[in-house]
Structures are given as C-alpha cells and as structure tokens.
Amino acid sequence: QVQLVESGGGLVQAGGSLRVSCAASRRTVSNYAMAWFRQAPGKEREFVGAIMWSGDNTYYASSVKGRFTVSRDNAKNTVYLQMNSLKPEDTAVYYCARDSTYRSSYFHTRSYEYDYWGQGTQVTVSS
C-alpha cells in the first residue's frame, strides 16, 4: 500500500507564492510519474501538472503553465509543486497522485489513470 501525504497548503495573497509537498510512505513512487490535481468547490477535479518518473520532463495544464513547477526528489520519495504568481482562481484542494503505469513514457491527465492519491491540502488565494 502506498500512502501519499500532502503538506504546505495555506492562505496566500494574490501574486504570492506557495510550495506544497507530497511525501510517499514507500519508495514505490520512484518508478512512476507523479501528478498534481486540484478541485475547487463545485467543480470537477482537474489536472495541474505532472513529472516523469525520471524527473527529466514535466507537463502542465495551460492555466498554470509558466507559473507552476513540478519537481521531485526520489531519494526523499517526495514530489513538490511550486506555485508562483498565484491567482484567486487557483484556490482549491490540491492532490498528488501516482500514475498507475510503471515507467510510463507518456503523460496522463485523467484521474482514472492514477491509482494512489493523497488526502489533499487546501490552498486559498485571497484577492
């Protein structure tokens, strides 16, 4: 069983920055792509960004590209989401997830393509 625990969420003003982390309980995430999703009240969960298992490639939703950065430290079993130039519309619960495909060569953007999820961390951006 893989446990993912997010941390680092909070309240920040528009234009500010925040970094959230996702720590895995075991080393079973090192050979899997990892992604961040978010869900705002009354909205469906949406893909934010992902990083290859090797850490050498990333992919982002157009709404966050250029502002958000996904990174990983496989030695620490941790994935990060650095969020800059935050906007009120970025307010949501942010979830990390593990791709269900071992060493996938492609980025997946749909929730059903991920098999383990964290409990989420709230990010609130005030205007």
Side-chain angles (χ1 to χ4, degrees):
Q1 185 74 11
V2 176
Q3 287 188 322
L4 303 175
V5 179
E6 299 96 338
S7 62
L11 174 64
V12 63
Q13 288 188 332
S17 298
L18 201 63
R19 188 179 80 161
V20 293
S21 302
C22 171
S25 59
R26 298 170 61 182
R27 294 192 63 183
T28 52
V29 299
S30 60
N31 289 302
Y32 294 83
M34 296 292 291
W36 288 93
F37 287 76
R38 67 186 181 186
Q39 187 166 20
K43 295 188 176 182
E44 293 187 354
R45 189 172 298 187
E46 64 173 355
F47 172 82
V48 173
I51 186 166
M52 279 294 182
W53 64 271
S54 57
D56 61 356
N57 204 359
T58 54
Y59 180 74
Y60 300 95
S62 58
S63 58
V64 306
K65 192 173 184 180
R67 300 188 298 122
F68 289 12
T69 301
V70 181
S71 61
R72 67 189 301 162
D73 185 338
N74 283 340
K76 295 183 178 179
N77 306 321
T78 302
V79 181
Y80 305 96
L81 177 65
Q82 176 68 43
M83 300 179 285
N84 298 328
S85 302
L86 281 161
K87 305 175 182 180
E89 51 263 42
D90 294 318
T91 295
V93 177
Y94 283 72
Y95 300 89
C96 67
R98 192 192 81 163
D99 195 314
S100 60
T101 303
Y102 178 82
R103 294 194 174 187
S104 175
S105 298
Y106 304 96
F107 284 112
H108 297 131
T109 63
R110 295 178 175 83
S111 298
Y112 66 82
E113 295 169 312
Y114 291 82
D115 54 3
Y116 289 101
W117 294 79
Q119 83 290 349
T121 185
Q122 177 70 47
V123 173
T124 302
V125 184
S126 63
S127 57

